[in-house]
Amino acid sequence: MLVLRLLNVVAPAYFLCISLVTFVLQIFVFIPSMFRDPSTTPLFSPALLHGALFLFLSANALGNYVLVIQSSPEDLGKDLNLGKGAEVADWLDGSRSPGSALPSTHFCRLCSRVTQRHDHHCFFTGNCIGSRNMRNFIMFCLYTSLACLDSLVAGMTYISATLSMSFADPLAFLALLPHSISQFFSGALLSSEMFVILMLYLWLGIGLACAGFCCHQMLLILRGQTRYQVRKGMVVRARPWRENLQEVFGKKWLLGLLIPVLNEESNYQRQKEK
C-alpha cells in the first residue's frame, strides 16, 4: 500500500514533467527550426499551422487532465445513500447492507473516497475514474495520444533535418536508437540530439498506450461496463449502445470533443434510473 501511495504522488509529477519537456521542445526547438518555406505567407506557414495544432491538442489534453482531477469522487460520496448509521469503514470490510448504495459504487483505499460507477484508480491523475469524470478521462487519453503523435512526427522531422537521415525505410526508426547510442558514446552525437531521440521513443510508447487504453475503454462503454465490474465479474443490465454512450458523453458530446467541459448530465443519471 505504501508503494501504491508513493506511485500515486510520483506518477502525476512524472506526467507533468513530460508535458513540460514536450511543450518546450515543440515551441522552442521544433517549430522555429522546421517547416521553413519562404514561398508561403506567414498566415498559412506550416510552422504556424503546426503550432496552432499542437496548442489545440495540448490545451485539450491538459484541460481534461485538470477536470479529471477536479471532478473528485468525494463529492459523489456525499450524495450517495450509505444507509442509516453506515460509515466509510463499511465499504472496507464489506458489511454494508444490500441496497444501501448505488450499484457499482466502490470505496478506494488510496483516495479514501466513494466513487459512483467506479472504473479504476488512475495513478497519473492521482484520482479515481467514475461516472463524473469518465468523459474527461477518455478525452484526456485521446488528446494525449494525438499530442504524442504530433510530437513524434515533429521530432522525426527535426532529427531527419539535423542528422541528414531519412525515415523512408520503416526499419530506420527501429535502428535509430542503437545507432544513436553508439554515436553518442563515441562523441559524434550531441547530448541535446540524443535527448530528442530518447523523447521520440517515449512519445511513441505513451501515445500507443493512451490510444490502446482509450479504445479499450470505449469498448467497455459501448457494452455498458466498467473495469471494476469486469474484474469483479458483475452482471450488468443490457442496454442499447447509444444509451451507454449518452450516459458517458451526454447529449452535448460534440462540445466535449472540442472543448474541455464537465458532463453534468451523467452525474446522477443512473441514480435516477434506479
Side-chain angles (χ1 to χ4, degrees):
M1 181 61 66
L2 180 60
V3 176
L4 294 179
R5 292 187 181 276
L6 180 62
L7 181 62
N8 201 43
V9 176
V10 174
Y14 172 77
F15 171 78
L16 293 176
C17 181
I18 294 298
S19 302
L20 179 61
V21 171
T22 302
F23 182 83
V24 171
L25 287 176
Q26 282 273 15
I27 300 300
F28 298 102
V29 180
F30 297 160
I31 295 178
S33 61
M34 295 163 38
F35 310 123
R36 295 177 180 175
D37 189 359
S39 63
T40 60
T41 59
L43 183 60
F44 298 100
S45 63
L48 183 61
L49 295 178
H50 173 79
L53 175 61
F54 173 73
L55 290 178
F56 172 76
L57 297 177
S58 301
N60 274 276
L62 182 59
N64 284 286
Y65 180 81
V66 173
L67 290 179
V68 170
I69 298 176
Q70 287 184 345
S71 302
S72 174
E74 186 178 10
D75 298 332
L76 294 175
K78 297 176 181 179
D79 297 308
L80 294 177
N81 179 23
L82 300 179
K84 185 178 181 180
E87 301 292 342
V88 172
D90 297 338
W91 292 85
L92 292 174
D93 56 18
S95 61
R96 61 185 185 277
S97 59
S100 63
L102 296 177
S104 303
T105 50
H106 175 68
F107 179 84
C108 179
R109 296 174 181 269
L110 295 175
C111 294
S112 298
R113 301 163 178 167
V114 178
T115 311
Q116 181 181 347
R117 276 191 67 78
H118 175 83
D119 188 87
H120 69 284
H121 181 89
C122 176
F123 289 99
F124 285 99
T125 60
N127 204 357
C128 278
I129 308 302
S131 61
R132 188 175 184 182
N133 54 10
M134 175 60 73
R135 182 178 73 176
N136 297 113
F137 177 75
I138 294 178
M139 290 296 100
F140 159 69
C141 292
L142 174 63
Y143 280 106
T144 298
S145 63
L146 294 177
C148 287
L149 176 61
D150 178 85
S151 301
L152 176 63
V153 173
M156 291 176 62
T157 307
Y158 172 79
I159 291 297
S160 177
T162 303
L163 303 182
S164 300
M165 61 182 305
S166 174
F167 289 98
D169 185 5
L171 298 179
F173 182 78
L174 299 179
L176 175 62
L177 183 60
H179 179 67
S180 59
I181 290 178
S182 61
Q183 285 190 327
F184 175 73
F185 285 105
S186 63
L189 193 66
L190 299 177
S191 58
S192 59
E193 297 170 345
M194 185 63 196
F195 178 75
V196 173
I197 293 175
L198 293 177
M199 289 299 299
L200 293 181
Y201 289 91
L202 185 60
W203 288 326
L204 177 63
I206 295 177
L208 291 178
C210 289
F213 198 92
C214 184
C215 293
H216 183 239
Q217 199 71 47
M218 285 298 301
L219 179 61
L220 291 177
I221 291 175
L222 291 174
R223 297 166 56 183
Q225 291 181 306
T226 64
R227 290 177 179 269
Y228 178 73
Q229 291 173 336
V230 173
R231 188 170 66 251
K232 295 296 182 179
M234 298 180 179
V235 179
V236 297
R237 179 169 59 91
R239 297 191 309 171
W241 62 271
R242 294 180 182 273
E243 293 185 13
N244 296 328
L245 283 178
Q246 183 174 337
E247 181 184 6
V248 175
F249 293 95
K251 297 180 180 180
K252 301 178 181 179
W253 59 271
L254 184 58
L255 180 63
L257 185 63
L258 300 176
I259 304 175
V261 292
L262 286 174
N263 183 19
E264 299 294 345
E265 301 175 12
S266 65
N267 286 349
Y268 306 103
Q269 182 175 350
R270 180 167 291 270
Q271 182 177 6
K272 293 179 180 179
E273 291 178 358
K274 298 298 179 179

